[in-house]
Amino acid sequence: NSFVPDKFTLKQNYPNPFNPSTLIRFTVPENSYVSLKIFDQTGKEIASLINENKTKGYYEINFDGSALTSGVYYYSLRANGLTATRRMVLLK
């Protein structure tokens, strides 16, 4: 009796602001190729957290920003031709 997500969602990271790590949660409603990347304010990709096929379900991934400087970053999830992006703040 497991609950299967019916839509593509990207939750706000927690905690936010964070130091040095934060949790990113998302759902994928069907098996698909998933990409989760971190970008800085200029749009430069600084990390690729996921770049692979995933089965439908709920996911949590921990992002460690200890190598980064304080500031605003963006995380972007792509799956099934959909994209969602959210903002996060690293405060050291």
Side-chain angles (χ1 to χ4, degrees):
N1 187 14
S2 63
F3 182 74
V4 177
D6 61 354
K7 63 184 179 188
F8 169 83
T9 58
L10 178 61
K11 306 279 189 194
Q12 184 63 51
N13 64 301
Y14 181 82
N16 187 33
F18 67 99
N19 177 27
S21 64
T22 188
L23 193 64
I24 298 171
R25 296 186 312 265
F26 62 93
T27 60
V28 179
E30 58 194 57
N31 298 354
S32 60
Y33 188 81
V34 175
S35 156
L36 179 62
K37 297 182 176 185
I38 310 290
F39 299 91
D40 66 13
Q41 290 185 76
T42 68
K44 178 181 168 213
E45 181 184 322
I46 54 169
S48 179
L49 304 181
I50 299 174
N51 217 12
E52 64 193 27
N53 287 308
K54 291 284 190 189
T55 56
K56 63 185 172 186
Y58 291 89
Y59 292 91
E60 288 186 350
I61 187 161
N62 193 58
F63 173 64
D64 184 347
S66 55
L68 303 175
T69 58
S70 293
V72 175
Y73 294 90
Y74 296 90
Y75 55 105
S76 186
L77 178 70
R78 289 175 192 236
N80 294 337
L82 299 171
T83 303
T85 303
R86 294 201 183 267
R87 179 179 183 266
M88 61 183 173
V89 178
L90 173 59
L91 279 183
K92 289 193 170 179

